[in-house]
Amino acid sequence: MVKTNVLYQHGTLALLVPGLLKGTLTSGGLLEHGDTGIGTGEGLDGELIILNGVVYQVRGNGEVRVMPKQDTIPFGNIHWADYQSLGNVADLELDQLGKHILKGHSANTFFSVEVKGTFENVTTRAVIKSNPPYKTLAQTADDQRVFQADIIEGTLLGYFMPTLYAGAAVGGFHWHFLSDDHTFGGHVLAVGGATGALGFQQFDSLDLHLPTNDADFMNHDFSQDDILSVIEKAEQF
């Protein structure tokens, strides 16, 4: 029996900060823990959005492909979808959508949000894959491509992490998008208007899986890294 109250996470965003970008879990292994999620490929190879048990990879050139199950990732969130309907939203910007959700829900727990519908003025990004020796997160994130769509149908998928746990992932909302025709997506920078069905799923457990078989991770001194400010800049730029 699947546990819909558990958010599974492989790796942390903090480990990406100094450039620990090596893949340490296969996408097939990630799918053992859920059917819906987000993440990134080895070397920050694009942005992942997982829907209905399929891992879609939006690469730095804008290409959207199904990620092979043997390909590896350094970071990913995934869960078994069991969204509860919160009705419909209309013409909400991304910040307005977040405020709308938090009006009726605690900001002290983890949850996922899904909006299926029509979106206006969507801006996304994907990072160009980095190769060893890997650069830092800040350096790698500078080599990204930005994509825009005026009006598009698709799925906006987000996770919310309380600021208390920032570093493990992004404090606040973290959004990815995939169009229904699988030709457009990525990490979301802006949405001018979201209209569609809103789903909400709360978690009471975080299953954090660390890459303990990776010597670079096990031996790195994270006390020397400016983790939170680097993550905030990389996620918002």
Side-chain angles (χ1 to χ4, degrees), residues 7-237:
L7 172 60
Y8 179 88
Q9 179 172 303
H10 174 70
T12 68
L13 282 184
L15 67 82
L16 304 182
V17 169
L20 300 179
L21 309 182
K22 180 170 63 180
T24 47
L25 179 70
T26 65
S27 67
L30 185 66
L31 287 172
E32 295 177 6
H33 302 276
D35 58 11
T36 302
I38 63 176
T40 188
E42 181 173 78
L44 294 190
D45 187 6
E47 305 287 346
L48 308 183
I49 180 167
I50 305 162
L51 300 173
N52 301 314
V54 180
V55 182
Y56 298 96
Q57 182 181 25
V58 184
R59 309 190 82 175
N61 62 359
E63 170 198 5
V64 182
R65 70 165 187 165
V66 175
M67 188 181 210
K69 290 188 177 180
Q70 69 271 19
D71 282 12
T72 57
I73 67 167
F75 174 82
N77 287 121
I78 198 166
H79 72 282
W80 297 105
D82 185 26
Y83 290 98
Q84 307 302 306
S85 175
L86 293 183
N88 295 319
V89 294
D91 298 321
L92 291 184
E93 296 181 358
L94 201 59
D95 288 346
Q96 293 174 325
L97 177 61
K99 291 176 181 178
H100 173 76
I101 295 162
L102 287 173
K103 281 182 180 179
H105 299 90
S106 173
N108 294 327
T109 189
F110 301 85
F111 59 80
S112 178
V113 177
E114 179 186 70
V115 182
K116 291 181 175 291
T118 302
F119 302 84
E120 298 181 12
N121 300 321
V122 181
T123 304
T124 65
R125 70 101 190 272
V127 175
I128 302 295
K129 181 181 180 180
S130 173
N131 295 304
Y134 294 119
K135 298 177 181 179
T136 66
L137 175 62
Q139 293 169 332
T140 305
D142 282 341
D143 192 13
Q144 66 177 358
R145 300 295 182 270
V146 176
F147 314 108
Q148 293 183 311
D150 293 333
I151 300 178
I152 195 163
E153 296 182 348
T155 299
L156 177 67
L157 178 64
Y159 286 97
F160 180 87
M161 169 170 280
T163 55
L164 176 64
Y165 304 102
V170 180
F173 286 98
H174 185 176
W175 302 99
H176 283 202
F177 181 84
L178 182 68
S179 64
D180 286 345
D181 62 6
H182 302 162
T183 63
F184 175 89
H187 173 89
V188 178
L189 299 176
V191 174
T195 299
L198 174 61
F200 176 90
Q201 185 172 349
Q202 182 173 292
F203 309 109
D204 59 26
S205 297
L206 174 67
D207 185 357
L208 180 58
H209 180 253
L210 298 175
T212 55
N213 292 326
D214 180 44
D216 291 336
F217 167 74
M218 295 297 285
N219 295 325
H220 185 76
D221 180 8
F222 287 93
S223 68
Q224 304 303 309
D225 300 317
D226 189 8
I227 292 172
L228 297 184
S229 64
V230 171
I231 290 176
E232 181 177 2
K233 180 181 177 181
E235 290 301 313
Q236 294 181 355
F237 178 71

